[in-house]
Amino acid sequence: MVREMHLNAFLSSVGHHQAAWRLPQSDPLANTDVKHFQHLARVAERGRLDSLFLADHPGLWGDISRQPAAALEPTVLLTVMAGVTEHIGLIATASTTYNEPFNLARRFASVDHVSGGRVGWNIVTTATLIAARNFGLDELPPHGDRYARADEFVGLARKLWDSWEDDAILADKEVGIWGDNNRLHPAAHDGTYFSVAGPLDVARSPQGYPLLVQAGSSEDGRDFAARHADAVFTVQKTLEEAQAFYADLKKRAARFGRDPETVTILPGIVPTIGATQAEAEAADAELGSLIKPEHAIKQLVSILQVSADELRLDEELPAHVTTDRHIEGAQGRYALVVGLARREGLTVRQLIGRLGAGRGHLTIAGTPEQVADTMQHWFENAAADGFNIMSPVLPSGLEGFVDHVVPILQARGLFRTEYSGTTLRDHYGAARPTNQYVDGLG
Amino acid sequence: MVREMHLNAFLSSVGHHQAAWRLPQSDPLANTDVKHFQHLARVAERGRLDSLFLADHPGLWGDISRQPAAALEPTVLLTVMAGVTEHIGLIATASTTYNEPFNLARRFASVDHVSGGRVGWNIVTTATLIAARNFGLDELPPHGDRYARADEFVGLARKLWDSWEDDAILADKEVGIWGDNNRLHPAAHDGTYFSVAGPLDVARSPQGYPLLVQAGSSEDGRDFAARHADAVFTVQKTLEEAQAFYADLKKRAARFGRDPETVTILPGIVPTIGATQAEAEAADAELGSLIKPEHAIKQLVSILQVSADELRLDEELPAHVTTDRHIEGAQGRYALVVGLARREGLTVRQLIGRLGAGRGHLTIAGTPEQVADTMQHWFENAAADGFNIMSPVLPSGLEGFVDHVVPILQARGLFRTEYSGTTLRDHYGAARPTNQYVDGLG
């Protein structure tokens, strides 16, 4: 069988460029507009993409002056998009640090039911003080604790998703027996972080478990992904870095006893598509001109954990901001931003321009052919199993990708022309999990 | 202005009668069937009902052999139903004991956005050990603690819903300012049960707050409803009891400084509709014959907190089961069941028949005129502001109610013939709440 790419549309209201909302065609209220998200979902499905994805953070980033800052709860928005599509997978971020396992396992199982088996969960531990303070904490739980909790959380969620055998419902009207109590399995979980009796109050869902996605880049994060994830989102700026990450993660998966091919690695790509390269670069330049430096400085302060007066627009980052400096928070993002600045010797102003466009992801401004060429190059050189498409402007960027890049990938035999399965797991070639109580020890 | 009834369709997959799933026409898998719930929502909207409602319990009742026992997470299911309707309100139960305020406030705000202002929250404290054990507890938190937590929870949710002023989003593309930070109000809540910084990461929703609904019947529960609820669901078996409850709750509302007319009281009614009374009674009898006594005994054991061997099918309840006995759990339901049994001197077998049909609610088997007559009698005699329609069999019971009872109520001028507003609050005549930071102290 020919190896094909997997493509995910990372949605973000009006687009991933922080100034996208200022474009004339952008709806600055799109983040609460059902019709906008329904349109995006239909476009992604028209392109036969594997899935769409909503990031999430349970808290408001400090400054709403900069860009559209609010976001609907993602499982609600997935359900909205499930209602107008039939095939495309629906992935949402949810935090293991700020949810109850019973509630979250149930919600994902519910969305899996209503979507006919199309839900995915991007597992995050949420590395911000902003979120912590919305859940009774004064400080961010340490990195290791968050991952230990996440690990227990996922194991417990699996118990809950398996707590109904697939054939637990007999529906025997004649005898008057609806379900078989012997095919229920309480989680009976008593762990370090959680104590949950179970069983879940939702029958096992079409996919068994949601597709499990992860995007950690720290040591803990990579091990977590290698143990649990069916798909991995990652931020990689160069082919070499992407290859190193790809090799490392596949090796870790093997070390945990998994077939490395069952872990799909999807670097982010920020494509600006034009009829010519010059047209694409002009579109990027227009977006860049709409970034306000004072806003971008605030963002850098948060990522780098420095004070604003340490940063000078036309100088490089302060000397103490090194890649190996320890910070409590999103270490992967920190290392990526500092690495980018140091590698290319960027001033703060230059760094801001680069981050505004792609937040450290691979950015390409070019023709559809050029975008497809880069994707093919990464895909065929052990850097990617597919891509996380982060259009700078939505919906136009996704429309352009679907209408102009996807056909090229299809013509080259690199991407499906029709959906062959019905569930998100089908699209990613991820097997439906066996039930641990039936097929494992039980 | 003429006083009109408010009508809510209490949905329950195949119906409220515990044996409904055994009828030939019932789909025993309806509880996870999107199309079934979409159909119910459309039927309720065709009848111009104020709202539909999903109960909820975060845990599986022990025995799945008896009847369809699983249920999708209700805010997911509301979102599914929002997608195929335009007017009808959408109310879901959610527990204040087993949710984080930030997450729950955000989810209801999100559903309010995607439904265009049609969400309602039935606030419950969840009085079961089954649920407690799914959230790290070995025993049910005491009744008073649950209500104290609920009270703080609702106050905090209001702060979060008000944390964005209605005009906080400027969307000024020219200047490059999306939102006004000065029109954000952190909750800055530091209470007995919760510490939450806020603000919410969802802008203030169309209704400001969801319609707030409550159904407590204990002293704490009634006070809670009188303080917070826009609508009250209640279980009342007789006109006299309903009048007493109605008067009591309106008086409590006044005592808390509210206009009693702004609290809409909705007793449950279980209508079995037939072309003749005999036909309706035959339908009830058919359902009754499908109840298995051994299942019903288990249910009674749970409600009454006795052991199964204390119950004899053809004798009355044991002497120590008195209405004033203290139990930890759903006290209102306990008192109602024991009260019914004692008032009418029912044997356990008779009690089972009565509960199977209506779980202690007002039950009527009759013609559409008879059902409408009873409703009108309660409505015009200070017993109800409307009703919570609990069809024993779904969808047929709701279809029958909408097609045959609603037109009679409309012809009598007791119920709307068209929706006059667009939000759930509009339907119930509940004002959109002012923002506490703008119109109150601020």
Side-chain angles (χ1 to χ4, degrees):
Chain A
M1 188 179 141
V2 181
R3 177 169 169 257
E4 286 182 344
M5 284 185 191
H6 298 283
L7 297 178
N8 174 69
F10 184 171
L11 305 185
S12 172
S13 70
V14 291
H16 286 272
H17 194 288
Q18 67 183 64
W21 71 275
R22 296 185 67 190
L23 291 170
Q25 72 270 26
S26 292
D27 174 8
L29 304 180
N31 53 0
T32 52
D33 181 2
V34 170
K35 287 185 176 20
H36 174 75
F37 284 97
Q38 289 174 331
H39 174 69
L40 291 173
R42 287 191 184 105
V43 170
E45 183 161 280
R46 190 175 82 212
R48 310 293 187 264
L49 269 53
D50 295 67
S51 51
L52 55 82
F53 164 60
L54 298 168
D56 194 51
H57 176 256
L60 184 68
W61 299 103
D63 184 351
I64 67 167
S65 68
R66 194 172 61 223
Q67 62 184 317
L72 301 179
E73 195 284 317
T75 60
V76 168
L77 206 43
L78 289 191
T79 303
V80 165
M81 294 190 282
V84 297
T85 53
E86 288 180 29
H87 298 283
I88 194 159
L90 308 156
I91 303 172
T93 290
S95 174
T96 52
T97 307
Y98 304 117
N99 278 287
E100 287 282 351
F102 190 91
N103 288 339
L104 197 69
R106 186 178 179 213
R107 203 150 81 245
F108 274 100
S110 297
V111 181
D112 204 44
H113 275 289
V114 304
S115 65
R118 295 191 281 140
V119 83
W121 172 25
N122 178 41
I123 307 163
V124 299
T125 68
T126 314
T128 70
L129 183 58
I130 292 171
R133 297 182 65 226
N134 288 331
F135 296 89
L137 301 178
D138 288 329
E139 51 188 38
L140 187 60
H143 195 267
D145 280 4
R146 292 203 314 276
Y147 272 96
R149 179 179 157 119
D151 201 60
E152 185 178 331
F153 195 121
V154 172
L156 169 53
R158 286 193 169 114
K159 291 183 190 173
L160 291 167
W161 291 322
D162 284 341
S163 62
W164 292 59
E165 295 184 19
D166 285 315
D167 55 2
I169 301 173
L170 308 174
D172 186 335
K173 291 184 180 182
E174 194 57 40
V175 178
I177 295 182
W178 186 77
D180 181 353
N181 289 303
N182 295 320
R183 298 183 206 179
L184 283 187
H185 302 276
H189 180 90
D190 189 11
T192 306
Y193 296 91
F194 306 110
S195 166
V196 173
L200 204 62
D201 49 0
V202 175
R204 201 161 192 259
S205 73
Q207 292 190 112
Y209 310 163
L211 189 84
L212 299 180
V213 182
Q214 220 269 345
S217 56
S218 65
E219 281 295 311
D220 286 342
R222 289 179 187 212
D223 273 351
F224 188 92
R227 278 222 301 288
H228 298 296
D230 301 301
V232 176
F233 295 152
T234 180
V235 187
Q236 302 296 334
K237 192 74 189 170
T238 68
L239 177 69
E240 295 67 32
E241 285 170 351
Q243 287 170 325
F245 177 84
Y246 187 95
D248 177 70
L249 205 76
K250 298 276 181 174
K251 194 161 61 185
R252 286 178 200 246
R255 201 185 305 145
F256 288 114
R258 296 180 65 196
D259 175 355
E261 290 198 3
T262 63
V263 185
T264 300
I265 298 181
L266 305 167
I269 180 172
V270 183
T272 304
I273 302 162
T276 63
Q277 187 173 350
E279 187 182 303
E281 285 174 357
D284 260 4
E286 183 192 1
L287 279 167
S289 73
L290 295 173
I291 299 176
K292 298 177 73 132
E294 65 269 33
H295 288 164
I297 288 282
K298 283 189 197 165
Q299 201 173 13
L300 265 189
V301 159
S302 156
I303 294 172
L304 301 177
Q305 303 197 5
V306 296
S307 69
D309 54 20
E310 291 181 80
L311 300 178
R312 305 260 179 285
L313 269 176
D314 295 307
E315 295 178 15
E316 291 193 30
L317 296 179
H320 74 94
V321 178
T322 56
T323 48
D324 57 358
R325 172 168 161 251
H326 180 77
I327 62 157
E328 276 300 337
Q331 296 186 358
R333 194 175 51 169
Y334 171 84
L336 189 132
V337 169
V338 176
L340 171 65
R342 295 303 182 202
R343 190 172 54 244
E344 308 193 13
L346 302 176
T347 64
V348 168
R349 191 189 301 275
Q350 289 168 326
L351 181 61
I352 284 169
R354 299 289 292 274
L355 295 178
R359 294 187 300 173
H361 288 266
L362 172 65
T363 55
I364 313 180
T367 64
E369 286 75 16
Q370 288 174 317
V371 172
D373 288 348
T374 299
M375 293 172 70
Q376 182 169 3
H377 190 59
W378 283 43
F379 178 64
E380 293 181 343
N381 287 280
D385 296 315
F387 295 90
N388 194 14
I389 312 300
M390 303 171 62
S391 302
V393 182
L394 289 170
S396 62
L398 184 61
E399 291 164 348
F401 183 85
V402 160
D403 294 336
H404 301 294
V405 180
V406 166
I408 296 171
L409 298 173
Q410 289 171 329
R412 295 180 185 175
L414 295 169
F415 190 60
R416 73 172 67 82
T417 52
E418 285 302 334
Y419 290 105
S420 57
T422 60
T423 71
L424 174 56
R425 288 186 166 271
D426 288 341
H427 304 337
Y428 279 96
R432 185 172 190 269
T434 54
N435 188 316
Q436 63 190 294
Y437 299 108
V438 178
D439 312 277
L441 307 172
Chain B
M1 189 179 140
V2 181
R3 177 169 170 258
E4 287 183 342
M5 282 184 193
H6 298 284
L7 297 178
N8 174 69
F10 184 170
L11 305 184
S12 172
S13 71
V14 292
H16 285 273
H17 194 287
Q18 67 183 62
W21 71 274
R22 296 185 66 189
L23 292 171
Q25 71 270 28
S26 292
D27 173 8
L29 303 181
N31 53 2
T32 53
D33 181 2
V34 170
K35 287 185 175 24
H36 173 75
F37 284 97
Q38 289 174 331
H39 174 69
L40 291 173
R42 287 192 184 105
V43 170
E45 182 161 280
R46 191 175 82 213
R48 310 292 187 264
L49 268 55
D50 295 66
S51 51
L52 55 81
F53 164 60
L54 297 168
D56 194 51
H57 176 255
L60 183 69
W61 298 103
D63 185 350
I64 67 167
S65 68
R66 193 172 63 223
Q67 62 184 316
L72 301 181
E73 195 284 318
T75 60
V76 168
L77 207 41
L78 288 192
T79 303
V80 165
M81 294 190 283
V84 297
T85 53
E86 289 179 29
H87 298 283
I88 193 158
L90 307 156
I91 303 171
T93 290
S95 173
T96 53
T97 307
Y98 304 117
N99 278 288
E100 287 283 351
F102 190 91
N103 288 338
L104 198 70
R106 186 177 179 214
R107 204 150 80 243
F108 274 100
S110 297
V111 182
D112 204 43
H113 275 289
V114 303
S115 65
R118 296 190 282 140
V119 82
W121 173 24
N122 178 41
I123 306 163
V124 299
T125 67
T126 314
T128 71
L129 183 57
I130 292 171
R133 296 183 64 226
N134 288 331
F135 296 89
L137 301 177
D138 288 329
E139 51 188 37
L140 188 60
H143 195 267
D145 280 3
R146 291 203 314 275
Y147 271 95
R149 179 179 157 117
D151 201 59
E152 185 178 332
F153 194 121
V154 172
L156 170 52
R158 286 192 169 115
K159 290 183 191 174
L160 291 168
W161 291 323
D162 284 341
S163 62
W164 292 58
E165 295 184 20
D166 285 315
D167 55 3
I169 301 173
L170 308 175
D172 186 334
K173 291 184 181 182
E174 194 57 40
V175 178
I177 296 182
W178 186 76
D180 181 352
N181 289 303
N182 295 320
R183 299 183 205 178
L184 285 187
H185 302 277
H189 180 90
D190 189 11
T192 306
Y193 296 91
F194 307 109
S195 166
V196 173
L200 204 61
D201 51 359
V202 175
R204 201 161 193 260
S205 72
Q207 293 190 111
Y209 311 162
L211 189 85
L212 299 180
V213 183
Q214 221 270 346
S217 57
S218 64
E219 280 295 311
D220 286 340
R222 289 179 187 213
D223 273 350
F224 188 92
R227 279 222 299 289
H228 298 296
D230 302 300
V232 176
F233 295 152
T234 180
V235 186
Q236 301 296 335
K237 193 76 189 168
T238 68
L239 177 69
E240 295 67 32
E241 285 170 350
Q243 287 169 325
F245 178 84
Y246 187 96
D248 177 70
L249 205 75
K250 299 275 182 174
K251 193 160 61 186
R252 286 178 201 246
R255 201 184 306 143
F256 288 113
R258 298 180 62 196
D259 175 356
E261 290 199 3
T262 64
V263 184
T264 300
I265 298 180
L266 305 167
I269 178 172
V270 183
T272 304
I273 303 162
T276 63
Q277 187 172 350
E279 188 181 303
E281 285 173 357
D284 259 4
E286 183 193 0
L287 279 168
S289 73
L290 296 173
I291 298 176
K292 298 179 73 132
E294 64 269 33
H295 289 164
I297 287 282
K298 284 189 195 164
Q299 201 173 13
L300 266 188
V301 160
S302 155
I303 294 171
L304 301 177
Q305 303 196 5
V306 296
S307 68
D309 54 19
E310 291 181 79
L311 300 178
R312 305 260 179 283
L313 270 176
D314 295 307
E315 295 179 14
E316 290 192 32
L317 296 178
H320 74 95
V321 178
T322 56
T323 49
D324 59 357
R325 173 168 161 251
H326 179 77
I327 63 157
E328 276 301 338
Q331 297 188 358
R333 193 176 51 169
Y334 171 84
L336 189 132
V337 170
V338 176
L340 171 65
R342 296 302 183 203
R343 188 172 56 243
E344 307 192 16
L346 301 177
T347 65
V348 168
R349 190 188 301 276
Q350 289 168 326
L351 181 61
I352 284 169
R354 298 289 292 273
L355 294 179
R359 295 187 300 174
H361 288 266
L362 172 65
T363 55
I364 313 179
T367 64
E369 286 74 17
Q370 288 173 318
V371 172
D373 288 349
T374 299
M375 292 172 70
Q376 180 169 3
H377 189 59
W378 282 44
F379 178 65
E380 292 181 344
N381 287 279
D385 296 315
F387 295 90
N388 193 15
I389 311 301
M390 303 171 61
S391 302
V393 182
L394 289 170
S396 62
L398 184 61
E399 291 164 346
F401 183 84
V402 160
D403 293 336
H404 301 295
V405 179
V406 166
I408 295 171
L409 298 173
Q410 289 170 329
R412 295 180 186 176
L414 295 170
F415 190 60
R416 72 172 68 83
T417 52
E418 285 302 335
Y419 291 105
S420 57
T422 61
T423 71
L424 174 55
R425 287 187 167 270
D426 288 341
H427 304 337
Y428 278 96
R432 185 172 192 270
T434 54
N435 188 318
Q436 63 191 294
Y437 299 109
V438 179
D439 312 278
L441 306 174

